[in-house]
Amino acid sequence: MITRRYTKSVAVLCALIALGLSIASRPAWSQETPFSNVVITETTIGDLESGKYAFKVTVTSVAPRAQIPYHVHSSPGIRYMLEGALTIQWKDRGSQTFSAGSTYFEGEGSNHPSSGMAASNPLDVPSKVLIIELVRID
């Protein structure tokens, strides 16, 4: 009898602790703070020529183990990895692999070595990257 009561008490205590932890891990919303912002990435893009610009947002899907050939960027942009991973070959800093949830910046012009591949999906599953670019429209 004592063992059952003790076991039930421990189970109730564990349940209360779990409930307390789940409540504590949630944001404490109030009428003064109905939302929150988290900066994911911020980068300097330098001086811009005068003119009209627009933001272009695309999603690029890369097949498993696929390679992206050398290319030149017409606009600067931030990339956000939605799924999978990409390994980027940089012209002046080797290679870096970015996985889901990470960000990177690619400036206007040539960011990749002129020979070989510019990027690749190192995984056996598809990868997706959200690309946000500042494009000149005039």
Side-chain angles (χ1 to χ4, degrees), residues 29 40 45 48 52 68 80 86 110 130-131 136:
W29 301 112
I40 296 173
I45 58 174
L48 297 174
K52 293 186 179 184
I68 300 170
Y80 178 80
L86 284 179
S110 177
L130 178 73
I131 300 172
R136 189 174 172 131

Side-chain angles (χ1 to χ4, degrees), residues 56-116:
K56 180 171 105 177
V57 180
T58 57
V59 173
T60 298
S61 298
V62 184
R65 303 285 175 193
Q67 295 187 348
I68 300 170
Y70 170 77
H71 56 276
V72 175
H73 296 272
S74 59
S75 304
I78 291 175
R79 280 69 167 132
Y80 178 80
M81 290 302 304
L82 296 169
E83 298 173 12
L86 284 179
T87 298
I88 308 298
Q89 297 295 326
W90 300 109
K91 179 170 61 175
D92 56 357
R93 39 185 174 144
S95 67
Q96 282 180 286
T97 300
F98 299 93
S99 57
S102 62
T103 63
Y104 61 99
F105 174 78
E106 289 194 80
E108 182 178 7
S110 177
N111 296 293
H112 312 290
S114 58
S115 62

